[in-house]
Amino acid sequence: MAKKVKKLDLEKLTEEEKLKYEVAEELGLLNRVLEQGWRSLSAKETGRIGGIVSKRKQKNPQDALNET
C-alpha cells in the first residue's frame, strides 16, 4: 500500500521548518523526504540535520528570536 505524501506548502512553514528543508536539500536528502516523509530517514541522518539546524540557530541568535 502506497503512502500518501502531502504537498509541501512553503508559505505555511515556520522559519525553523524552512531551515530543516534547506539543510535536508544541502545533504541530498530532500527528494527522499518529499517522496517518503521524514520517517524514511535514519536516526543518523535526522541527527545530522538537527545538529546543523542547531549550529545555524546559535550562529544567528537574532534570527532565532524573530521566529517566536
Side-chain angles (χ1 to χ4, degrees), residues 29 32 38-49:
L29 301 170
R32 187 165 17 138
W38 289 104
R39 290 185 174 192
S40 67
L41 300 180
S42 69
K44 183 177 181 179
E45 291 166 330
T46 55
R48 182 158 181 168
I49 291 170

Side-chain angles (χ1 to χ4, degrees), residues 1-58:
M1 186 163 99
K3 277 188 175 181
K4 183 178 179 182
V5 178
K6 62 182 177 180
K7 184 133 173 115
L8 182 63
D9 186 357
L10 295 175
E11 293 181 15
K12 292 185 179 180
L13 295 177
T14 65
E15 289 301 314
E16 186 169 354
E17 289 173 321
K18 288 178 187 177
L19 182 56
K20 276 178 34 179
Y21 281 100
E22 181 182 313
V23 172
E25 181 177 30
E26 291 171 8
L27 296 176
L29 301 170
L30 183 60
N31 285 337
R32 187 165 17 138
V33 169
L34 295 176
E35 292 172 7
Q36 301 173 10
W38 289 104
R39 290 185 174 192
S40 67
L41 300 180
S42 69
K44 183 177 181 179
E45 291 166 330
T46 55
R48 182 158 181 168
I49 291 170
I52 293 171
V53 167
S54 293
K55 282 183 185 178
R56 290 191 184 171
K57 287 175 80 173
Q58 288 175 1

